[in-house]
């Protein structure tokens, strides 16, 4: 990202979050999250509509364009009849839908909403007939927003039951909602320059970035609950960079707000020039997902709509393990971050489920249920990545050890990555990433053929990587992600890979059998080599012993001074 683009986003984030955060004192984070993200979505669809409208107006008035309206037929350019006909033509729905732009009726357009939010209490709404009586609740800004959401859903089948329409029910003063609309209105989401420098951004890029930023901020504000819908972007990026979902069907059975789909789409756009299949890499993937939480399901659907990503999330929210909405799907790439160690998941109807390819999962822990569900949905040459608690790599409780043994012996496991702690907002449980595939002797990574990897397993220990972004959360740098992904790809392709003590190791099946099929990377990568500083051991020991003695002496001197000062103040003190 260019420095000016980064500065633009940083300033925009700060401005919008400051405005939205004013609601925190009035509403719980889980509630005002949907208020703010709903308004961001409304602003996006309206901006996209107006952007298309400006394009059409230019085309109607351009003498050499196919859509040109001959002014001579309407009394000449600038006449009332000419302008009225252009205005009528701008309201033709097909001009928008042909470009995959959502049709936004008058009452749902941002300018209309902004104007109505500022109307005097008794002023009629502009789309109603003069003199028509309006119930008092129609004067609230919450009702106006709900009415806009309903109108958009009614006019766009893809958004049916997707948008939040509870603004009027939220106990929030209309003036606060009107103020938030005003703050969002003052922001130009179609900026082409910033501080005198050009920006190569579309409104979709800006709104998408803002949406993702807000999701992250809300996840931090909600703590444990926030982790149910938001996986830290660095982890999502790492998995996508390793799997490289460049073409085909992408599936997330525990999709949350859809982060894996967003990163997959961005990956394809970045690498479109390297992909020979198809003229437009963006259309080379299709996304499928499922989510059990109804409000989170809506967040994901709005997230896709903001970015113009076609999606199949089923008809609504549903429990993936108990009610699979995509039973016939065989995906090329499957990625997920399901709840760790989920206990309450079992139902007797699952006892003979065909998804249990390598053994029935324990009833008190869903980790291997998620893993096998994903494996079941893989295409013959598909690949998958799954975030799980570290216990999944070594536990022998309730058949888990036998399931892991079968996964290894049947050669499904490709790579194991141990992650550092403190990466998640919602849990301190140490985590790892499982990479599995149905076919280790075929496949492509972008345009490069993967080598035959049967009987080989890659272990990566990334526990010492990353940095503390604040007092409680760790994050990966771009270089960290690149190093891990490059190591994985070099191993897959057989080009430039070598074991690095303390970081990565390629193990054969016999080696894993010796460890009784435990897949913890630390057992295989060994310890990092220590650099020889050239100082003889005896001299180093003598130097360090003297240094320790000096520190002990200094500590005793400081303790005596503290005792003396405290006694002088009339305090009796006993130091350990």
């Amino acid at each position: 990202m260019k420095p000016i683009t980064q500065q633009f986003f940083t300033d925009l984030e700060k401005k919008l979050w400051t405005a939205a955060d004013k609601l925190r004192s009035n509403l719980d984070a889980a509630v005002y999250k949907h208020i703010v993200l709903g308004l961001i979505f409304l602003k996006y669809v309206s901006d996209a509509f107006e952007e298309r409208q400006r394009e059409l107006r230019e085309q109607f008035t351009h003498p050499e364009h196919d859509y040109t309206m001959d002014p001579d037929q309407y009394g000449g350019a600038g006449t009332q009849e000419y302008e009225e006909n252009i205005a009528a033509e701008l309201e033709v729905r097909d001009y928008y839908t042909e470009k995959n732009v959502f049709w936004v009726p008058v009452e749902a357009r941002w300018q209309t909403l902004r104007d109505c939010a500022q109307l005097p209490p008794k002023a009629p709404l502009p789309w109603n007939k003069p003199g028509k009586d309006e119930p008092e609740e129609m004067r609230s800004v919450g009702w106006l927003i709900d009415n806009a959401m309903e109108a958009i859903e009614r006019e766009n089948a893809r958004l049916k039951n997707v948008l939040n329409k509870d603004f009027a029910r939220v106990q929030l003063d209309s003036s606060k909602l009107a103020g938030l609309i005003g703050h969002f209105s003052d922001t130009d989401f179609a900026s082409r320059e910033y501080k005198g420098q050009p920006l190569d951004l579309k409104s979709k890029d800006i709104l998408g970035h803002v949406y993702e930023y807000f999701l992250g901020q809300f996840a931090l504000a909600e703590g444990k609950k926030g982790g149910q819908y938001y996986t830290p972007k660095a982890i999502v990026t790492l998995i996508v960079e390793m799997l490289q979902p460049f073409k085909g069907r992408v599936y997330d059975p525990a999709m949350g707000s859809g982060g894996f789909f967003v990163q997959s789409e961005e990956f394809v756009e970045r690498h479109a020039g390297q992909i020979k299949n198809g003229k437009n890499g963006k259309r080379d993937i299709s996304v499928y997902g499922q989510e059990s939480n109804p409000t989170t399901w809506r967040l994901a659907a709005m997230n896709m709509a903001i970015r113009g990503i076609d999606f199949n999330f089923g008809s609504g929210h549903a429990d993936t393990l108990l009610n699979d909405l995509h039973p016939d799907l065989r995906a090329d790439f499957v990625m997920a971050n399901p709840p760790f160690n989920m206990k309450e998941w079992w139902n007797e109807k699952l006892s003979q489920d065909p998804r249990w390819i390598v053994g029935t999962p324990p009833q008190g822990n869903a980790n291997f249920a998620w893993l096998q569900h994903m494996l079941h949905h893989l295409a013959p040459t598909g690949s998958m990545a799954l975030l799980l608690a570290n216990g999944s790599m070594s536990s022998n409780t309730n058949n888990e050890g036998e399931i892991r043994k079968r996964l290894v012996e049947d050669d499904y496991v490709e790579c194991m990555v141990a992650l550092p702690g403190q990466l998640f907002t919602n849990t301190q449980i140490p985590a790892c990433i499982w990479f599995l595939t149905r076919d280790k002797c075929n496949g492509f990574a972008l345009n490069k053929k993967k080598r035959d990897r049967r009987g080989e397993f890659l272990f990566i220990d990334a526990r010492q990587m990353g940095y503390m972004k604040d007092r409680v959360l760790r994050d990966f740098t771009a270089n960290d992600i690149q190093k891990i992904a490059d190591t994985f790809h070099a191993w897959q392709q057989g080009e430039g890979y070598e074991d690095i003590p303390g970081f990565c190791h390629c193990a054969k099946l016999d080696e894993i059998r010796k460890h009784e099929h435990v897949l913890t990377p630390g057992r295989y990568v060994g310890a990092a080599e220590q650099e020889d500083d050239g100082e003889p051991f005896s001299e180093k020991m003598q130097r360090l012993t003297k240094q320790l003695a000096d520190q002990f002496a200094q500590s005793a001197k400081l303790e005596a001074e503290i005792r003396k000062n405290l006694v002088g103040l009339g305090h009796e003190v006993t130091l350990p």
Side-chain angles (χ1 to χ4, degrees):
M1 189 179 294
K2 296 178 180 177
I4 189 61
T5 305
Q6 183 63 63
Q7 184 63 51
F8 168 75
F9 278 135
T10 300
D11 293 346
L12 180 63
E13 290 162 0
K14 183 178 180 181
K15 176 181 178 179
L16 294 180
W17 181 253
T18 300
D21 203 39
K22 292 178 181 178
L23 299 180
R24 189 196 292 245
S25 59
N26 302 88
L27 296 171
D28 182 80
V31 177
Y32 83 88
K33 168 181 70 186
H34 295 288
I35 296 290
V36 173
L37 293 176
L39 283 176
I40 287 176
F41 176 81
L42 201 57
K43 183 72 165 69
Y44 164 72
V45 294
S46 187
D47 279 6
F49 180 87
E50 290 177 5
E51 195 168 25
R52 175 60 177 157
Q53 204 169 53
R54 287 192 294 270
E55 291 175 3
L56 288 169
R57 177 176 286 279
E58 185 176 337
Q59 292 167 5
F60 293 154
T61 56
H62 196 287
E64 298 180 0
H65 200 277
D66 292 340
Y67 286 169
T68 300
M69 296 177 65
D70 186 358
D72 292 338
Q73 295 181 10
Y74 306 99
T79 63
Q80 182 176 347
E81 183 183 3
Y82 180 61
E83 292 300 324
E84 287 176 352
N85 276 276
I86 285 183
E89 200 72 10
L90 288 173
E91 296 298 321
V92 175
R93 181 195 189 100
D94 290 348
Y95 288 134
Y96 301 87
T97 56
E98 70 181 6
K99 295 292 186 179
N100 290 317
V101 174
F102 291 111
W103 171 255
V104 183
V106 173
E107 61 267 38
R109 295 173 193 172
W110 190 263
Q111 189 60 48
T112 304
L113 190 64
R114 184 183 187 184
D115 292 343
C116 290
Q118 306 297 330
L119 284 175
K122 298 298 181 181
L125 297 175
W127 57 85
N128 285 340
K129 295 179 181 179
K132 180 181 177 181
D133 292 334
E134 297 165 346
E136 186 63 30
E137 64 267 18
M138 289 176 62
R139 306 308 311 142
S140 76
V141 177
W143 182 91
L144 291 170
I145 298 172
D146 287 342
N147 184 60
M149 297 293 193
E150 288 171 1
I152 290 173
E153 279 197 353
R154 185 175 62 249
E155 297 291 341
N156 300 275
R158 282 188 295 161
L159 297 176
K160 186 178 181 181
N161 299 323
V162 166
L163 305 183
N164 174 30
K165 301 178 287 295
D166 291 329
F167 286 78
R169 295 189 185 93
V170 176
Q171 299 300 311
L172 188 64
D173 188 82
S174 284
S175 63
K176 291 188 178 293
L177 279 176
L180 194 55
I181 291 171
H183 277 293
F184 282 6
S185 300
D186 290 341
T187 301
D188 183 7
F189 287 99
S191 298
R192 294 295 176 265
E193 65 172 40
Y194 187 64
K195 294 185 176 180
Q197 297 188 48
L199 289 175
D200 185 20
L201 294 170
K202 298 178 182 178
S203 58
K204 181 183 74 171
D205 301 325
I206 299 173
L207 265 294
H209 182 97
V210 169
Y211 195 91
E212 183 72 19
Y213 169 77
F214 270 64
L215 282 172
Q217 291 299 106
F218 286 128
L220 286 172
E222 293 182 66
K224 187 173 183 179
K225 290 182 179 179
Q228 296 174 0
Y229 63 85
Y230 184 79
T231 303
K233 187 174 181 180
I235 300 176
V236 176
T237 303
L238 172 62
I239 288 176
V240 169
E241 289 294 327
M242 292 180 73
L243 276 190
Q244 297 184 319
F246 67 94
K247 184 182 180 183
R249 297 170 297 275
V250 179
Y251 174 50
D252 183 348
M255 65 184 182
S257 55
F260 283 115
F261 302 134
V262 172
Q263 287 300 314
S264 297
E265 187 82 354
E266 291 182 2
F267 177 87
V268 171
E269 288 183 350
R270 287 200 311 274
H271 294 274
Q274 302 177 34
I275 299 170
K276 296 178 181 178
N277 301 309
K279 295 180 180 178
N280 186 343
K282 183 181 177 183
R283 295 301 171 201
D284 281 349
I285 65 169
S286 53
V287 302
Y288 299 81
Q290 188 162 340
E291 171 59 44
S292 62
N293 185 295
T295 55
T296 303
W297 186 91
R298 292 190 180 97
L299 287 180
M302 286 194 295
N303 205 0
M304 300 304 102
I306 277 179
R307 292 169 169 82
I309 301 174
D310 291 330
F311 59 92
N312 183 343
F313 294 165
S315 57
H317 66 283
D319 186 307
T320 300
L321 298 177
L322 296 178
N323 182 18
D324 186 358
L325 297 181
H326 306 286
D328 300 322
L329 174 66
R330 296 297 178 266
D332 301 285
F333 302 95
V334 184
M335 298 172 273
N337 173 26
F340 292 171
N341 304 323
M342 194 167 72
K343 296 180 180 180
E344 303 297 329
W345 73 278
W346 180 257
N347 186 294
E348 282 305 317
K349 71 178 184 179
L350 297 174
S351 58
Q352 301 298 320
D353 198 292
R355 290 174 292 180
W356 312 147
I357 300 171
V358 293
T360 303
Q363 298 181 14
N365 192 318
N367 285 346
F368 285 107
W370 285 109
L371 186 149
Q372 292 186 81
H373 170 88
M374 294 169 66
L375 195 56
H376 172 78
H377 280 288
L378 269 186
T381 58
S383 298
M384 60 170 270
L386 172 66
L387 276 158
L388 284 180
N390 274 0
S392 62
M393 298 187 290
S394 59
S395 172
N396 290 314
T397 306
N398 297 326
N399 201 41
E400 288 186 344
E402 285 302 311
I403 291 175
R404 190 171 55 253
K405 178 180 178 180
R406 282 280 307 278
L407 289 168
V408 172
E409 293 290 339
D410 292 352
D411 218 9
Y412 289 120
V413 179
E414 186 166 29
C415 176
M416 301 296 300
V417 179
L419 297 172
Q422 297 178 274
L423 284 174
F424 298 88
T425 59
N426 63 320
T427 181
Q428 294 302 311
I429 297 175
C432 60
I433 311 175
W434 290 65
F435 287 87
L436 293 89
T437 182
R438 280 185 170 273
D439 187 349
K440 291 171 74 172
C441 61
N442 288 297
F444 284 86
L446 294 181
N447 287 320
K448 294 184 178 181
K449 180 79 168 62
K450 297 178 183 177
R451 67 182 179 87
D452 188 339
R453 308 169 312 285
R454 285 175 291 184
E456 295 184 15
F457 308 82
L458 179 64
F459 292 91
I460 297 177
D461 191 343
R463 289 177 298 171
Q464 303 305 315
M465 300 181 76
Y467 69 100
M468 296 301 295
K469 61 189 297 186
D470 54 38
R471 289 184 297 176
V472 295
L473 282 177
R474 181 177 289 272
D475 202 357
F476 281 132
T477 67
N479 288 337
D480 292 331
I481 293 172
Q482 196 69 49
K483 179 180 179 181
I484 298 170
D486 286 349
T487 300
F488 182 51
H489 299 150
W491 174 81
Q492 283 184 321
Q493 296 159 22
E495 297 178 358
Y497 172 81
E498 60 180 29
D499 288 348
I500 301 175
F503 176 63
C504 63
H505 176 75
C506 175
K508 298 293 180 66
L509 181 57
D510 286 344
E511 188 176 354
I512 294 178
R513 286 171 176 164
K514 290 178 182 178
H515 287 281
E516 298 180 330
H517 299 91
V518 170
L519 298 179
T520 307
R523 291 199 176 198
Y524 299 91
V525 302
E529 294 181 354
Q530 299 294 320
E531 290 187 9
D532 186 2
D533 58 9
E535 185 178 9
F537 176 78
S538 58
E539 294 180 12
K540 180 185 290 187
M541 194 65 187
Q542 186 177 0
R543 177 177 59 80
L544 292 176
T545 301
K546 182 179 183 303
Q547 183 178 336
L548 182 61
D550 290 343
Q551 290 173 343
F552 278 149
Q554 186 177 6
S555 174
K557 183 178 179 182
L558 289 172
E559 181 181 337
E561 288 292 328
I562 292 171
R563 288 178 184 276
K564 179 180 177 181
N565 291 336
L566 288 173
V567 170
L569 293 172
H571 290 279
E572 291 293 332
V573 62
T574 302
L575 294 178

